[in-house]
Amino acid sequence: MPSSIVVPKKLTTVEQYKAFLDQYDTFLLDCDGVLWHGSHVLEGILETVHFLRKNGKKLVFVTNNSTLSRANYVKKFQKLGIEATEKDIFSSAFATAVYLRNILDFPKDKRVYVIGESGIVDELKDVGIESTGASDDNGVIMTHADFGSIEQDPTIGAVVCGFDLNLNYRKLAKAFTYLNNKEQNAHFILTNDDTTFPAPNGIYPGTGSLAQPLITALNRNPLVMGKPNKPMLDCFFANYHTDPSRTCMVGDRLDTDIDFGVNGNIATLMVLTGVSTEAEAMDPKQPIKPTYIMQSFGDFAKVENA
Ligand SMILES: O=C(O)[C@H](O)[C@H](O)COP(=O)(O)O
Ligand SMILES: [Mg+2]
């Protein structure tokens, strides 16, 4: 059906929330912008998670945020008051590691140069892939005399770029050097390409924006692992067997979360606590349409008290 005809259904009343919840058994929950902003859990989220689980609903967490491993996400969840196990968590770092190991059959004698944080390094290590970079070059201020210190490294079989609070010119110059060596033929991979992400006091540049200098300099498009792309879909459906007709993706971004659900042929609920707006979703020219829209996932807590 043409997207201009699909009109998302706005959920606003407790009766509508209840009728919505009765349709689904499994909820794929995005994290940044749905559950929290950074480490600030949004209002009603803890009550909603508790209520849904008490009513037998399955919650799976699917995040493009590659900064933590699943093990460290479990610790974050627990610290914020949400029980979770590694098997309930799908991050773009995990999808990247699975893709390098299972799809690319990454050579044993090669390493990955990482622009990003511990989540990527740890998940690669979990599948037996060695990496370099990441925090090695944090805080390194280059001078114009330093270019000679950037050398080729034939052991680099891939460059993986994820969210990196400590991005700097040296990291970009090293990644460019490895990727620009045509004989080396290193893979260029982004964990995700979100242009922005929601923090407690606004939105900020995301991984897709951080990687743009490399994309422009190389004139080359990377492979992207996270939502809405196939590697994350394959990673999820290889590990989770749910009834698609009783499964719903909940997210704050049209171009990652909602598109991921559309690509996975499951229903989608867009919440307005993150990046995408109701006007964007309702725009007849918008090609990506959520099945439902509501203000906040935390509003489901009102059903319990109804
Ligand atoms: O820039 C990023 O890495 C992403 O915007 C961000 O972390 C998205 O996380 P999600 O909303 O998928 O949990
Ligand atoms: Mg999000």
Side-chain angles (χ1 to χ4, degrees):
M1 181 184 291
S3 64
S4 55
I5 297 177
V6 175
V7 178
K9 181 173 173 45
K10 180 87 183 275
L11 305 176
T12 54
T13 66
V14 171
E15 291 70 30
Q16 287 173 329
Y17 297 161
K18 193 176 178 329
F20 166 82
L21 292 174
D22 288 346
Q23 295 180 90
Y24 304 105
D25 304 321
T26 304
F27 294 93
L28 277 59
L29 301 182
D30 171 45
C31 299
D32 291 349
V34 173
L35 303 179
W36 56 55
H37 291 155
S39 292
H40 169 71
V41 180
L42 301 184
E43 187 182 349
I45 291 298
L46 297 183
E47 298 83 350
T48 292
V49 167
H50 177 75
F51 169 64
L52 293 181
R53 282 175 164 164
K54 193 170 74 174
N55 285 272
K57 306 296 185 183
K58 187 79 186 151
L59 307 182
V60 187
F61 305 102
V62 186
T63 179
N64 272 359
N65 190 317
S66 63
T67 58
L68 297 176
S69 64
R70 286 162 298 152
N72 283 331
Y73 262 116
V74 168
K75 291 177 188 162
K76 175 172 182 177
F77 274 107
Q78 285 172 342
K79 194 171 163 202
L80 297 177
I82 300 173
E83 279 308 310
T85 64
E86 286 189 35
K87 70 175 181 53
D88 300 326
I89 300 168
F90 290 81
S91 77
S92 59
F94 176 46
T96 300
V98 166
Y99 185 84
L100 278 161
R101 170 55 57 236
N102 297 348
I103 307 302
L104 294 184
D105 189 18
F106 196 71
K108 294 269 186 288
D109 62 343
K110 294 291 185 184
R111 302 188 296 171
V112 173
Y113 180 74
V114 173
I115 292 180
E117 304 190 8
S118 65
I120 302 171
V121 175
D122 295 349
E123 292 290 358
L124 289 174
K125 201 178 297 175
D126 262 9
V127 294
I129 295 178
E130 194 187 333
S131 63
T132 182
S135 58
D136 299 349
D137 286 323
N138 283 3
V140 175
I141 306 298
M142 266 187 78
T143 67
H144 290 277
D146 290 339
F147 283 94
S149 68
I150 296 176
E151 296 166 349
Q152 291 294 346
D153 181 341
T155 70
I156 301 298
V159 170
V160 169
C161 183
F163 189 80
D164 187 339
L165 274 179
N166 293 281
L167 180 66
N168 59 38
Y169 188 86
R170 183 167 184 77
K171 294 182 180 186
L172 291 172
K174 288 172 82 169
F176 176 83
T177 299
Y178 306 140
L179 290 167
N180 199 37
N181 179 333
K182 301 290 180 275
E183 291 73 51
Q184 194 158 339
N185 196 27
H187 299 283
F188 180 22
I189 294 172
L190 300 193
T191 58
N192 60 298
D193 61 359
D194 300 54
T195 52
T196 58
F197 77 98
N201 62 342
I203 62 171
Y204 291 87
T207 303
S209 301
L210 304 185
Q212 198 53 49
L214 278 178
I215 295 168
T216 302
L218 291 158
N219 188 28
R220 176 178 172 186
N221 289 321
L223 281 168
V224 184
M225 301 288 108
K227 300 170 288 185
N229 301 288
K230 192 171 180 306
M232 182 72 107
L233 265 176
D234 292 348
C235 185
F236 172 76
F237 286 111
N239 289 274
Y240 254 86
H241 307 290
T242 67
D243 174 355
S245 69
R246 301 277 303 170
T247 303
C248 184
M249 173 75 206
V250 183
D252 68 291
R253 286 192 73 117
L254 285 162
D255 62 349
T256 57
D257 308 312
I258 305 307
D259 203 16
F260 179 77
V262 170
N263 294 342
N265 295 310
I266 58 175
T268 56
L269 166 65
M270 187 179 109
V271 294
L272 303 175
T273 46
V275 173
S276 294
T277 67
E278 183 173 355
E280 288 165 341
M282 291 302 196
D283 183 341
K285 294 189 295 297
Q286 169 57 249
I288 305 166
K289 285 288 187 347
T291 320
Y292 299 96
I293 294 178
M294 74 188 288
Q295 181 56 38
S296 169
F297 191 66
D299 289 343
F300 284 129
K302 297 170 185 170
V303 177
E304 183 164 38
N305 309 322

